[in-house]
Structures are given as structure tokens and as C-alpha cells.
Amino acid sequence: MTPESTKSTYWQGVGAGAPFILVLVPFALLFGVVATEAGLTLIETFSFSLLVVAGAAQFTAIQLLSEHAPTIIVVVTALAVNLRMAMYSASLTPHLGEARLGVRALVAYCMVDQAYASAILAYEKHPGWSLRQRLAFYFGAITPLMPLWLIFTVIGALVGERIPPEFALDFAVPITFLAMIAPMLRTAAHVVAALVSITVALVLAFVPYSMGLLVAGLVGMMAGAQVELIMTRKERAP
């Protein structure tokens, strides 16, 4: 493997992550605004984004804090929202698990939905890549995202209510997840898991502190796993 090949995969990663800038910027702006409206200072808002690096969990925690939810509910719900990172880690282990501990720690810190979605699709498309090439792609995908997430979080915290309501920054939240999830709905198990979780979430929308989302996620994963099991048995059947 030559340095050029690693450099090439790095820039492929940059190219894969770059389109997410279109939704990441308003997403980060919105979080900065929401966090300061909830009472966080500029330093607290920036530190939140720097340390947690998980937009969905951050929004969830801020919303629950604004509703004066018990601290234990805030912590448990935020952790539950981020449980998908454990699944991401398990999915990436066959591709990046041989890296040194320090590198794996950096991968874990930088793990966001967009980087994972870009990387896992690229790894499946290029099974012959070396470990260095896979790492180069991953860090390339995160390069246009992490700095802008922090920068526009600060900008959102600074401008706050001065952003006109007609800008409707909250559109970035659903669009971000739709852009990531749609390409991954490639099997019956994925589709069933998505549909079941959506249905349960809507049915349990009345549950306080958005706890229905936790149930929806668990039920969706169970449904997807069951479909995967059924499909595997059919493939093995004579």
C-alpha cells in the first residue's frame, strides 16, 4: 500500500461526509439556540458539544431538563438514545477492531451517525481495503463535520433568539436522520425494525418525558432481530 492510496481513501471519506454539512450546520445552530434558551451558558453549551458529541442525546437531555425531569430520567434517557453507538461499534469492529487502543478510542470519540453511515457503506463496497485505508476513510468522513459542529454550536449560542423563526432550523433534525437511515434499509429486517419502532413511538407519544421512544427502540430492535432470525432459518433450510 502506498501513501497515495491512503490519501485517496481519506479524501473519499471527506467527500462522503461533506454532503451532511447541509443539515449539520442548522442542526448545530439549533442546539446552540436551544441550549442557551434552556439556561446553559456559552461555555456550558460548547463543553456539552465537545464532550458528548451526540446531537440526538444532547437535544434529548436539553428537552428533559427544560421540562424539569428528574436527573436520573435525563441521564438514563440520554444514555438510551446513545445505545445505538454500541451497535455502531459492534458493526465497525470487524473493519477497525485491529487498530491500536489509542486509535480505537479516537474512533469512538469521533463516532457520529453521519461518519458511521458513510464508513459502513464504503467498507462493504470496498472489502479489499487495508486497515489504514479504512481508518483514513473514517477520519476523512469526520473531518468536515466535527469542527463545524462545534463552531456552529457556539454561533447558535451567541445569536440565540436573533435567528428569525421563519428560518425553521428544526428541519435539520428529521432530515439528518432520514438521510442516514434511508440507504441502510436494505433488508426486510431493517425495514421491519424501522416501521415497528415508528409505530410504537407514535402509539406511546403520550408517555411522559418521551419514555415511549425507549420502548419503541427496544421493540423495533426485537422485531428486526426476529425477522433476521426467520430469514436466516429459511436460507439454511434444505
Side-chain angles (χ1 to χ4, degrees), residues 160-169:
E161 296 180 352
R162 284 175 285 182
I163 297 179
E166 56 267 23
F167 276 31
L169 295 177

Side-chain angles (χ1 to χ4, degrees), residues 37-120:
E37 288 181 347
L40 271 64
T41 66
L42 176 61
I43 297 299
E44 290 170 339
T45 301
F46 176 78
S47 299
F48 203 167
S49 285
L50 179 65
L51 297 174
V52 179
V53 197
Q58 291 176 220
F59 271 101
T60 301
I62 289 296
Q63 178 182 349
L64 292 174
L65 288 171
S66 300
E67 296 175 358
H68 305 290
T71 302
I72 185 62
I73 295 295
V74 176
V75 173
V76 170
T77 304
L79 288 174
V81 169
N82 256 16
L83 278 177
R84 69 190 188 284
M85 298 299 173
M87 293 185 286
Y88 292 172
S89 297
S91 178
L92 289 176
T93 295
H95 305 286
L96 305 179
E98 296 178 359
R100 298 192 309 273
L101 177 60
V103 176
R104 297 202 308 271
L106 185 58
V107 167
Y109 171 73
C110 294
M111 188 178 294
V112 295
D113 299 283
Q114 298 91 337
Y116 168 78
S118 301
I120 198 65

Side-chain angles (χ1 to χ4, degrees), residues 2-237:
T2 64
E4 288 75 18
S5 63
T6 301
K7 182 177 180 180
S8 174
T9 55
Y10 172 81
W11 286 109
Q12 288 180 50
V14 172
F20 289 107
I21 292 174
L22 296 176
V23 288
L24 180 138
V25 166
F27 199 10
L29 279 172
L30 181 61
F31 176 73
V33 173
V34 170
T36 51
E37 288 181 347
L40 271 64
T41 66
L42 176 61
I43 297 299
E44 290 170 339
T45 301
F46 176 78
S47 299
F48 203 167
S49 285
L50 179 65
L51 297 174
V52 179
V53 197
Q58 291 176 220
F59 271 101
T60 301
I62 289 296
Q63 178 182 349
L64 292 174
L65 288 171
S66 300
E67 296 175 358
H68 305 290
T71 302
I72 185 62
I73 295 295
V74 176
V75 173
V76 170
T77 304
L79 288 174
V81 169
N82 256 16
L83 278 177
R84 69 190 188 284
M85 298 299 173
M87 293 185 286
Y88 292 172
S89 297
S91 178
L92 289 176
T93 295
H95 305 286
L96 305 179
E98 296 178 359
R100 298 192 309 273
L101 177 60
V103 176
R104 297 202 308 271
L106 185 58
V107 167
Y109 171 73
C110 294
M111 188 178 294
V112 295
D113 299 283
Q114 298 91 337
Y116 168 78
S118 301
I120 198 65
L121 291 176
Y123 298 161
E124 293 175 357
K125 186 177 180 181
H126 302 281
W129 276 357
S130 68
L131 175 61
R132 288 184 62 189
Q133 287 174 308
R134 293 192 293 268
L135 287 169
F137 184 95
Y138 183 88
F139 289 118
I142 204 67
T143 296
L145 303 176
M146 288 281 287
L148 291 179
W149 169 252
L150 298 174
I151 290 170
F152 281 92
T153 291
V154 172
I155 293 175
L158 289 173
V159 298
E161 296 180 352
R162 284 175 285 182
I163 297 179
E166 56 267 23
F167 276 31
L169 295 177
D170 52 351
F171 84 96
V173 179
I175 288 181
T176 296
F177 286 96
L178 285 173
M180 293 183 299
I181 292 172
M184 295 183 177
L185 299 179
R186 294 168 296 174
T187 69
H190 293 137
V191 174
V192 168
L195 292 177
V196 169
S197 60
I198 290 171
T199 302
V200 175
L202 292 174
V203 170
L204 299 181
F206 66 91
V207 178
Y209 305 132
S210 301
M211 296 297 288
L213 292 176
L214 304 183
V215 178
L218 290 173
V219 174
M221 287 188 287
M222 291 167 59
Q226 187 62 36
V227 171
E228 185 72 25
L229 179 61
I230 293 173
M231 297 298 293
T232 300
R233 286 175 176 172
K234 286 184 177 180
E235 292 176 357
R236 294 177 179 176

